[in-house]
Amino acid sequence: MSQLAPQTAPVPDLELVQVSKMFGDFLAVDTVDLSVAPGEFVAIMGPSGCGKTTLLRILAGLESVTYGQVKIRGRDVSAVPVNRRTTRLVWQNYALFPHLDVAGNIAFGLTLGRHDKAAVAGKVAQMGALVGLDDFMTRPIGQLSGGQKQRVALARALVTEPDILLLDEPLSALDAHLRIRMQAELRRIQQQLGMAFIYVTHNQHEAFSMADRVAVMNRGRIEQLDTPEVLYATPKTEFVARFVGSNNILPGTLAGYDGDVAVVTCAHGPVRVADAQGLAAGTRVVVAIAAEKLRRGLRAGDNTVPAVMRGREFAGSHNVFLMDLADGTEIKVVSHDGAIPDYGAEERLCFAPEDASLIRGAK
Ligand SMILES: Nc1ncnc2c1ncn2[C@@H]1O[C@H](COP(=O)(O)OP(=O)(O)OP(=O)(O)O)[C@@H](O)[C@H]1O
């Protein structure tokens, strides 16, 4: 009888095991575990100072780890210096050589090594084409737009065929329109090469439009690592719920469960939330509801929350109403129907139990 060969999981392109970084007695990166699958695009997102850049610099070999291990394709590189790492870093400041043309800049990484002239020219042309600069190879750097310069920086990093490309806010100097085009280009190039990209940004739209998974960092820790869809629909911590999307947060205390529905006592009354965590009654919790999931009016089976209309932001295709609950909590409601309540009017908002997330409150 034939036996099936045991299935082995592919070696991750990158693995961080309990990585911490201290600057003096300040903990900038706190016990981070992260596994990046072969060819995966992972974005690291979080507020200023949360440790994103420090983590990326650790991957590049520009910072040492205080504790923990960094493995690239299964090899421990924690003590490997930057010039012997198989990672390349692209950042916002392109750091191109102004006295060289596009081809000269792209070739720079290669000509430092031992490559023959024809091979260098071939690879440079190939990378130029990949990033869409084939018609600009002899242009001086000073005659390029911001987007073109960023493409040169990208090609210069990619031509060395790194195991992983690290990107630190590479698009933040570009205008909004160009940024969106470059996001699509980056994703195309990443998929074409099948190379793992680690992309640091504080911009949620950027992270969500490109990445397979997004890590949300707070105070040196990864609070949640998930696909954009899961992060959006089921934030696991209050911080993630506040940072991602446009969630409304209702603090409360868990009264108990009614089957697989948690009943939470909030300031305005009880709220029912579909939940399978089985938390103990009395636990302090928050209920997170996306602004798009709140509706005006009453609907059978839904939660109802009384609110007072306070203001409105017009966003072209929809309105965002700002409303206050009785305890002063501000609520955002996305509305597509064009009807605008009067300022000061009392409204009833409703949402389904399955459209909200229950999150254990911060201790
Ligand atoms: N060389 C250093 N010495 C001391 N503290 C540092 C050093 N580098 C970073 N830090 C501190 O570590 C923390 C994390 O910094 P880091 O640059 O990683 O944050 P970030 O999330 O990338 O922020 P931003 O989005 O503003 O770039 C900050 O409080 C920062 O002041």
Side-chain angles (χ1 to χ4, degrees):
M1 212 166 73
S2 72
Q3 286 210 322
L4 287 175
Q7 293 275 325
T8 49
V11 175
D13 272 357
L14 170 70
E15 208 175 351
L16 298 183
V17 186
Q18 304 268 296
V19 165
S20 294
K21 175 68 188 178
M22 304 206 57
F23 292 115
D25 56 5
F26 177 72
L27 189 56
V29 173
D30 183 3
T31 335
V32 165
D33 287 305
L34 175 67
S35 179
V36 175
E40 193 179 17
F41 194 135
V42 171
I44 302 175
M45 184 171 89
S48 186
C50 71
K52 311 181 286 295
T53 297
T54 304
L55 193 57
L56 207 68
R57 288 172 57 82
I58 287 172
L59 304 185
L62 292 164
E63 284 306 344
S64 59
V65 295
T66 311
Y67 306 106
Q69 268 187 332
V70 179
K71 291 186 194 173
I72 293 176
R73 301 209 170 155
R75 190 168 76 99
D76 185 346
V77 298
S78 311
V80 174
V82 59
N83 57 341
R84 298 208 354 252
R85 289 273 171 113
T86 54
T87 47
R88 285 291 172 277
L89 180 60
V90 178
W91 64 98
Q92 178 193 339
N93 169 2
Y94 323 111
L96 300 174
F97 300 106
H99 60 285
L100 296 177
D101 63 9
V102 168
N105 268 277
I106 298 176
F108 192 78
L110 286 177
T111 44
L112 287 177
R114 269 183 258 123
H115 298 271
D116 75 63
K117 236 175 155 183
V120 169
K123 281 186 169 222
V124 167
Q126 191 191 351
M127 281 306 131
L130 181 73
V131 301
L133 286 177
D134 15 6
D135 293 337
F136 296 85
M137 298 302 272
T138 55
R139 270 271 176 103
I141 292 300
Q143 293 176 20
L144 297 179
S145 69
Q148 288 165 337
K149 283 182 189 160
Q150 193 50 278
R151 286 168 196 261
V152 178
L154 187 63
R156 188 181 57 182
L158 291 173
V159 79
T160 61
E161 296 175 20
D163 287 337
I164 303 171
L165 190 70
L166 311 171
L167 304 105
D168 191 359
E169 308 248 14
L171 308 183
S172 53
L174 308 180
D175 68 50
H177 181 71
L178 191 55
R179 217 162 42 220
I180 292 170
R181 288 191 49 167
M182 283 297 290
Q183 285 167 19
E185 281 284 281
L186 275 177
R187 184 59 166 157
R188 173 187 65 76
I189 291 166
Q190 186 263 339
Q191 287 182 323
Q192 201 167 322
L193 296 174
M195 188 183 289
F197 277 23
I198 314 287
Y199 191 102
V200 158
T201 180
H202 63 267
N203 183 319
Q204 178 181 319
H205 298 292
E206 210 159 277
F208 280 25
S209 63
M210 287 186 286
D212 296 307
R213 288 188 302 161
V214 178
V216 181
M217 278 189 84
N218 181 29
R219 296 182 184 183
R221 286 182 159 265
I222 292 182
E223 292 226 352
Q224 190 168 351
L225 171 66
D226 266 313
T227 63
E229 291 77 12
V230 171
L231 270 178
Y232 206 87
T234 42
K236 290 199 179 118
T237 67
E238 181 174 347
F239 174 81
V240 174
R242 288 186 188 277
F243 193 74
V244 168
S246 55
N247 284 304
N248 293 298
I249 305 288
L250 303 179
T253 305
L254 183 68
Y257 281 85
D258 175 7
D260 52 6
V261 171
V263 182
V264 179
T265 308
C266 293
H268 71 275
V271 165
R272 294 165 63 82
V273 185
D275 181 66
Q277 295 177 80
L279 301 176
T283 304
R284 290 172 59 78
V285 293
V286 295
V287 177
I289 318 133
E292 305 85 56
K293 299 290 185 187
L294 277 171
R295 291 188 186 78
R296 292 164 58 211
L298 294 171
R299 218 168 48 169
D302 278 8
N303 294 289
T304 56
V305 184
V308 176
M309 174 73 175
R310 292 293 181 213
R312 172 177 81 105
E313 286 167 9
F314 178 58
S317 62
H318 62 271
N319 282 296
V320 180
F321 299 138
L322 304 175
M323 301 195 182
D324 284 348
L325 303 187
D327 65 344
T329 304
E330 190 175 271
I331 293 280
K332 284 170 286 183
V333 183
V334 168
S335 170
H336 290 272
D337 72 6
I340 301 166
D342 294 333
Y343 294 133
E346 289 205 2
E347 292 283 322
R348 292 210 164 264
L349 305 174
C350 68
F351 63 95
E354 54 276 13
D355 283 341
S357 302
L358 186 74
I359 298 166
R360 187 194 281 272
K363 291 193 183 89

